[in-house]
Amino acid sequence: MKVVVTGGLGFIGSHTVVELQNQGFEVVVIDNLSNASISVLDGIEKITGKKPFFENIDLREKGSVQNFFQKHSDTVGLIHFAASKAVGESVGNPLLYYENNINTLVYVLQELIALPQANFIFSSSCTVYGQAETMPITEDASVQPAMSPYGNTKQIGEEIIKDVARVTNLSSVLLRYFNPIGAHPSAEIGELPLGVPQNLVPFITQAAIGLRKELSVFGNDYPTVDGTCIRDYIHVVDLAKAHVVALQRLLDKQNLEKVETFNLGTGTGSSVLEVIHAFEKISGQKVQYKIVDRREGDVVQAYANTDKAREILGWNTELSLEDALASAWKWEQKVRS
Ligand code: UD1
């Protein structure tokens, strides 16, 4: 069964390719290498024993997308990771984000719905909830006005998919990720941010290895246990497995609606300081940090209610925050060695 993974050499994409291959799917990866290295293919091969079929395609080129699907009309499902994801960058360059995240979605859907099977898994984000009023956040919590063009592309993406599914053969699962972290336990694949990491865990591991002098903790005057923000950090391997389960649900026609939405989180919130201290404990490294002003756009807290994913999708996390931090640290050490 041929499954296409766009952005399949990226952080979450590559881990999902591994899980798909482990389950016997034939995987075709599309990536334009704008934020990923071709060597990720070797990492995937080392873990699974098989190199996925790879096409270097820029999904903003409509003709290339059309050609691709002419060649791969036997595709039974598509998992769409290809997108830009830096919040700050999206504020400075909104058109880049609308082109990268919306145009590409439209082109992919146009081709997918012409196939006999149009099963589509979409990477959404808990960012659609903004600062939710109640914790943990359920899927029926209201979608708040987006705080960045990046966040807006996730909301618009969800709406596009719902509109298309209403009038075509498209079936879709929207997966709203909380904070994906960690790496494959083999340390063959992991997260490789370009430049200075914007996200917490890659910054921590780079600080611990000596690449960054000091971590800035954005605010300690929030109304939380220790004043720092609360997030739901989920191991990327658990997250990857959820994609395979969601795809299988569509292939088995188990879905109750044309478009279903699931939160992917652990259900547990951790503060920034808790993450730092957990990292120090599992790595034996001291993390230098200082408290600085709040970062614009940060919500106080966000963690998932995971009941729907557990009961309907039949998926649950298996790995802990400590597992995730240990794998991230193992990966960082391997990359710099
Ligand atoms: C961010 C995006 C989210 C996106 C996700 C994945 C925002 C508001 N949200 O999530 O939409 O889907 O990344 O790319 O940008 N922190 C520090 N110091 C640092 C870095 C982070 O204290 O150097 C804190 C943040 O204030 C936050 C927590 O760590 O409280 C997690 O931050 P981060 O890893 O950037 O994720 P989010 O902001 O939750």
Side-chain angles (χ1 to χ4, degrees):
M1 292 222 275
K2 184 184 282 184
V3 176
V4 174
V5 181
T6 74
L9 299 188
F11 175 43
I12 307 172
S14 58
H15 288 82
T16 302
V17 171
V18 165
E19 298 306 325
L20 285 166
Q21 293 198 155
N22 283 346
Q23 295 302 314
F25 286 99
E26 181 193 345
V27 179
V28 180
V29 168
I30 295 178
D31 206 298
N32 69 353
L33 303 178
S34 62
N35 193 17
S37 159
I38 191 73
S39 65
V40 174
L41 280 174
D42 300 328
I44 293 170
E45 185 181 16
K46 280 195 186 129
I47 298 169
T48 63
K50 195 176 169 204
K51 204 175 255 192
F53 192 79
F54 172 66
E55 295 257 22
N56 184 342
I57 287 176
D58 194 319
L59 296 173
R60 293 171 296 192
E61 292 161 14
K62 191 178 161 87
S64 306
V65 182
Q66 289 171 327
N67 288 340
F68 174 87
F69 281 99
Q70 271 164 19
K71 263 192 354 205
H72 298 283
S73 57
D74 53 344
T75 297
V76 298
L78 188 143
I79 307 184
H80 187 51
F81 293 104
S84 297
K85 60 154 197 156
V87 177
E89 183 186 47
S90 79
V91 174
N93 197 349
L95 285 174
L96 179 74
Y97 274 67
Y98 291 116
E99 184 182 32
N100 285 358
N101 296 7
I102 303 296
N103 288 15
T104 58
L105 174 64
V106 171
Y107 297 158
V108 165
L109 289 178
Q110 282 173 331
E111 300 311 312
L112 193 67
I113 61 168
L115 302 183
Q117 294 212 58
N119 297 314
F120 188 73
I121 310 293
F122 182 64
S123 299
S124 189
S125 166
C126 68
T127 194
V128 302
Y129 299 119
Q131 180 56 73
E133 270 165 32
T134 43
M135 292 293 134
I137 304 172
T138 56
E139 286 81 353
D140 53 18
S142 60
V143 169
Q144 303 287 340
M147 290 198 283
S148 69
Y150 159 76
N152 210 17
T153 64
K154 293 299 170 190
Q155 298 193 3
I156 296 169
E158 290 195 0
E159 293 305 322
I160 290 173
I161 291 161
K162 287 179 193 162
D163 287 343
V164 175
R166 225 169 271 133
V167 293
T168 68
N169 61 347
L170 183 71
S171 293
S172 182
V173 177
L174 312 178
L175 298 176
R176 291 176 175 164
Y177 312 151
F178 281 67
N179 288 58
I181 60 163
H184 195 270
S186 65
E188 295 294 349
I189 55 173
E191 190 171 9
L192 258 190
L194 289 177
V196 181
Q198 304 300 307
N199 296 112
L200 179 64
V201 171
F203 202 106
I204 289 178
T205 57
Q206 288 198 9
I209 207 114
L211 270 179
R212 312 280 158 208
K213 201 169 125 258
E214 195 173 47
L215 168 74
S216 294
V217 173
F218 299 133
N220 70 345
D221 56 352
Y222 285 99
T224 62
V225 270
D226 56 23
T228 63
C229 295
I230 307 275
R231 296 288 183 274
D232 185 340
Y233 297 92
I234 174 171
H235 198 305
V236 66
V237 171
D238 276 333
L239 189 78
K241 286 179 178 169
H243 292 75
V244 184
V245 174
L247 178 67
Q248 196 62 57
R249 179 175 172 81
L250 294 182
L251 291 170
D252 296 343
K253 305 208 182 309
Q254 296 288 308
N255 51 314
L256 304 173
E257 295 165 89
K258 295 271 329 250
V259 180
E260 294 180 315
T261 305
F262 296 98
N263 284 342
L264 296 182
T266 66
T268 303
S270 306
S271 76
V272 176
L273 291 180
E274 283 168 350
V275 173
I276 294 171
H277 294 140
F279 177 83
E280 288 182 331
K281 208 167 160 196
I282 62 102
S283 69
Q285 301 289 313
K286 192 96 195 105
V287 176
Q288 298 299 330
Y289 70 88
K290 65 166 186 270
I291 308 290
V292 301
D293 287 347
R294 291 179 175 195
R295 178 172 73 177
E296 207 186 324
D298 270 343
V299 296
V300 181
Q301 54 176 346
Y303 53 97
N305 179 307
T306 57
D307 292 351
K308 190 178 173 194
R310 196 174 51 250
E311 287 161 18
I312 299 183
L313 210 51
W315 164 88
N316 212 346
T317 53
E318 293 164 358
L319 300 163
S320 66
L321 176 67
E322 286 72 21
D323 293 328
L325 294 171
S327 66
W329 179 230
K330 186 175 171 189
W331 164 248
E332 187 72 60
Q333 289 172 289
K334 165 140 191 248
V335 169
R336 309 300 162 193
S337 65

